[in-house]
Amino acid sequence: MKINSICCIGAGYVGGPTMAVIAQKCPHIKVTVVDLNESRIADWNDANLENLPVYEPGLDAVVAEARGRNLFFSTDVDKAIDEAQMIFISVNTPTKNYGAGKGMAADLKYIELCARQIARVSKQDKIVVEKSTLPVRTAEAIKNILDHTGNGVQFQILSNPEFLAEGTAVQDLHNPDRVLIGGEDKDAIKSLVDIYANWVPAEKILTTNVWSSELSKLTANAFLAQRVSSINAISELCEKTGADVSEVSKAIGMDVRIGSKFLKASVGFGGSCFQKDILNLVYIAKSYGLHEVADYWEQVVIMNDHQKNRFSRNIVQTLYNTISGKKITLLGWAFKKDTNDTRESAAINIAQNLIAEQAKIAVYDPKVSEKQIKEDLISLDENQLKLIQVNQDPYEACHNSHAIAVLTEWDEFNTYDWQKIYNNMLKPAFIFDGRNLLDKKQMTKIGFTYIAVGSSNL
Ligand code: NAD
Ligand code: UGA
């Protein structure tokens, strides 16, 4: 089937950028991205590109090129499904927070709702593509729903997991390491391969069976997160022994068998996917009775929780075991630089820990709104919320602080006038660098007590 009409259900961090790039690279295909969330769709349609709901470097230019030409954002899900030959499901698959598998398994209710809606609306044969990250063998469930509740039309199911990272989404989509397509039906696979072939070299388009494709996505995230937890585990040992984790990362990363990427020690990994996907993997392993496999992967998440908690514990201990009433400034709230996404950001955990100790928290992040920060702290009570202040100006955020914690590796933090910041802080002035971002020599010379993850002052 030669595809000229695509629908994507879910206009989030994956659906929006992915479809924008498909539309940009395939002007002959009409791409309609739909979502139930009206304000999100309104933001995607906003004439002012600064208001797009997802902040990604370069995304505004891609949307500007394709929107209104062959890229459309709409809340009319039924119409878009009906008109499309190929439907991508790109809805959220969060960790289940109720019932069996609570806190571990993926909640597939949004996926199932999509499948039922596609079955109800479709009058012609369609290819359904799993873009969301799903437990292995989910395609079977989708196929079952489509075949038993539909109008007798034929559905082919493909798995096409997305590997983009936030902050570099456009670059990753333009130039992916690989595109993975899992499926059974050769024609359906070819239809999707042909779309990517408009800009991705043939040797980078990998086709597999559905189950390999589904499991490869969970495995890729598990391996990436495992590297971060591995280096974070070593960072604690560095702090005790006088080794420096940046030096250790460099030394081991030069071994091509290990490689240099994903070896940056940090305050802990965040983001909507690493933790949820590993827990999902753990749950699947347990459900097959593979307890050693489950325990092995669960340790990656346990280590990450430890890293976040020990970072805030270290702040309390260093500030003479009490931070009650002290002002602590958090620089960065997003889970990594170049995104406005805060899901599972380590900053949330650290702020909660510090507020539990009655510290006053000032937050500055170049891309995250005050509204979002307050939403992230929804579990706090009214009195605790009064301890949080969000600043639009980093210098104000640092004014009269006892300590600064760098939680996101935004480039702009390195461009600040640190002497000025130091002059306006209480002394001794502490910096806890959770990203190894700032220049230790410069900070120490100014007079800061500078404490970075994975390096000791031994
Ligand atoms: P998201 O929460 O940003 O977006 C999902 C969107 O789907 C929401 O806007 C929601 O309103 C919409 N939605 C849910 N049910 C719907 C329905 N029945 N009809 C219409 N719209 C519906 O999520 P995301 O970050 O884009 O992630 C989507 C999937 O992609 C997840 O499975 C995730 O694991 C995977 N993934 C995410 C990333 C990432 O960087 N965020 C990368 C690779 C894969
Ligand atoms: C990750 C994967 O990199 C993507 O391939 C995948 O598609 C995506 O998850 C997904 O499935 O959602 P993302 O979470 O957007 O992408 O960003 P990463 O660059 O992987 O960073 C994740 C977290 O790990 C961030 O908090 C980051 O700061 C942290 N990290 C990363 C480190 O602490 N150290 C590192 O060396 C690398």
Side-chain angles (χ1 to χ4, degrees):
M1 196 191 312
K2 180 141 177 51
I3 303 294
N4 52 41
S5 176
I6 286 177
C7 154
C8 173
I9 309 180
Y13 282 85
V14 167
T18 310
M19 292 302 128
V21 167
I22 290 182
Q24 179 196 30
K25 299 292 184 183
C26 310
H28 55 286
I29 300 179
K30 180 181 176 190
V31 180
T32 308
V33 192
V34 290
D35 205 295
L36 298 172
N37 184 331
E38 288 179 9
S39 80
R40 211 166 213 188
I41 290 297
D43 289 345
W44 280 113
N45 282 322
D46 200 307
N48 181 354
L49 292 164
E50 283 192 5
N51 294 335
L52 294 183
V54 171
Y55 171 72
E56 279 292 337
L59 181 62
D60 47 358
V62 177
V63 171
E65 186 181 332
R67 196 176 60 184
R69 177 188 72 186
N70 64 324
L71 174 65
F72 303 92
F73 294 93
S74 161
T75 50
D76 194 343
V77 184
D78 280 2
K79 180 163 177 272
I81 291 174
D82 182 37
E83 288 176 359
Q85 298 158 289
M86 181 178 273
I87 300 164
F88 287 78
I89 301 181
S90 193
V91 300
N92 35 330
T93 49
T95 303
K96 228 179 142 186
N97 58 7
Y98 56 89
K102 180 178 174 181
M104 284 251 156
D107 189 345
L108 297 180
K109 72 176 171 218
Y110 305 107
I111 296 285
E112 180 166 344
L113 281 171
C114 288
R116 289 187 184 279
Q117 190 164 7
I118 294 168
R120 178 171 53 75
V121 171
S122 298
K123 298 189 221 56
Q124 278 138 10
D125 296 355
K126 296 194 193 288
I127 298 170
V128 175
V129 183
E130 300 174 347
K131 189 49 123 176
S132 298
T133 301
L134 296 170
V136 56
R137 297 204 79 88
T138 305
E140 202 169 32
I142 295 179
K143 177 100 182 112
N144 222 286
I145 292 169
L146 291 172
D147 286 349
H148 287 93
T149 56
N151 306 318
V153 302
Q154 292 294 312
F155 293 101
Q156 297 301 333
I157 320 285
L158 299 177
S159 159
N160 173 221
E162 184 48 60
F163 295 100
L164 69 79
E166 290 180 28
T168 53
V170 173
Q171 199 179 311
D172 296 341
L173 289 164
H174 279 164
N175 190 16
D177 286 346
R178 77 314 208 175
V179 165
L180 180 57
I181 299 172
E184 305 303 323
D185 184 85
K186 285 200 171 57
D187 293 337
I189 294 173
K190 184 170 183 316
S191 299
L192 188 52
V193 168
D194 286 349
I195 292 175
Y196 284 108
N198 283 291
W199 78 98
V200 180
E203 65 277 13
K204 287 193 172 179
I205 304 177
L206 191 65
T207 56
T208 64
N209 79 35
V210 189
W211 322 127
S212 303
S213 172
E214 288 179 336
L215 188 56
S216 296
K217 173 62 199 178
L218 292 181
T219 306
N221 273 359
F223 269 60
L224 291 168
Q226 181 200 42
R227 284 175 69 95
V228 179
S229 275
S230 296
I231 200 67
N232 281 342
I234 297 301
S235 76
E236 191 169 11
L237 201 53
C238 286
E239 289 164 26
K240 297 282 180 232
T241 56
D244 182 314
V245 76
S246 305
E247 292 178 353
V248 174
S249 291
K250 188 167 180 197
I252 65 167
M254 284 173 76
D255 184 329
V256 288
R257 294 169 304 172
I258 295 175
S260 61
K261 295 193 175 146
F262 271 71
L263 288 183
K264 267 195 91 51
S266 67
V267 61
F269 62 73
S272 62
C273 293
F274 275 2
Q275 175 170 306
K276 117 176 136 59
D277 291 350
I278 293 178
L279 292 176
N280 185 1
L281 195 65
V282 169
Y283 182 76
I284 294 168
K286 277 189 182 158
S287 70
Y288 286 106
L290 308 179
H291 297 292
E292 291 79 4
V293 177
D295 290 349
Y296 176 77
W297 286 108
E298 190 167 11
Q299 201 58 37
V300 173
V301 174
I302 292 171
M303 185 64 224
N304 196 49
D305 287 339
H306 172 67
Q307 187 75 352
K308 291 186 276 190
N309 290 332
R310 82 180 185 86
F311 186 84
S312 41
R313 222 171 25 240
N314 190 25
I315 295 180
V316 179
Q317 281 166 3
T318 309
L319 295 186
Y320 319 109
N321 284 317
T322 174
I323 53 170
S324 176
K326 292 183 182 167
K327 178 174 173 185
I328 299 177
T329 304
L330 307 186
L331 288 184
W333 190 263
F335 81 97
K336 62 184 284 199
K337 74 171 178 178
D338 290 340
T339 177
N340 59 348
D341 194 348
T342 65
R343 290 176 290 179
E344 301 295 337
S345 178
I348 301 172
N349 200 286
I350 282 152
Q352 285 168 338
N353 288 348
L354 298 178
I355 285 172
E357 293 287 339
Q358 301 181 345
K360 290 187 195 152
I361 303 293
V363 186
Y364 168 78
D365 186 287
K367 285 290 170 200
V368 181
S369 67
E370 175 164 0
K371 182 168 166 267
Q372 183 61 53
I373 292 170
K374 296 273 165 73
E375 268 174 38
D376 290 340
L377 295 171
I378 197 91
S379 63
L380 299 183
D381 65 35
E382 228 175 86
N383 285 330
Q384 288 179 316
L385 270 179
K386 284 189 194 137
L387 294 172
I388 285 268
Q389 124 197 0
V390 179
N391 290 93
Q392 303 306 316
D393 175 57
Y395 295 95
E396 241 170 67
C398 297
H399 195 87
N400 277 339
S401 261
H402 290 256
I404 293 171
V406 178
L407 302 184
T408 313
E409 73 282 23
W410 287 103
D411 294 334
E412 68 166 60
F413 296 163
N414 257 317
T415 66
Y416 292 172
D417 180 347
W418 283 98
Q419 182 67 56
K420 181 173 153 190
I421 291 175
Y422 177 78
N423 295 345
N424 290 323
M425 282 178 68
L426 296 171
K427 308 296 175 327
F430 293 91
I431 295 182
F432 296 88
D433 191 342
R435 296 288 183 169
N436 271 307
L437 182 74
L438 304 176
D439 182 342
K440 180 176 182 169
K441 269 201 193 116
Q442 189 204 345
M443 296 303 136
T444 323
K445 196 166 158 227
I446 290 174
F448 285 107
T449 305
Y450 177 78
I451 297 162
V453 162
S455 81
S456 79
N457 294 323
L458 287 177

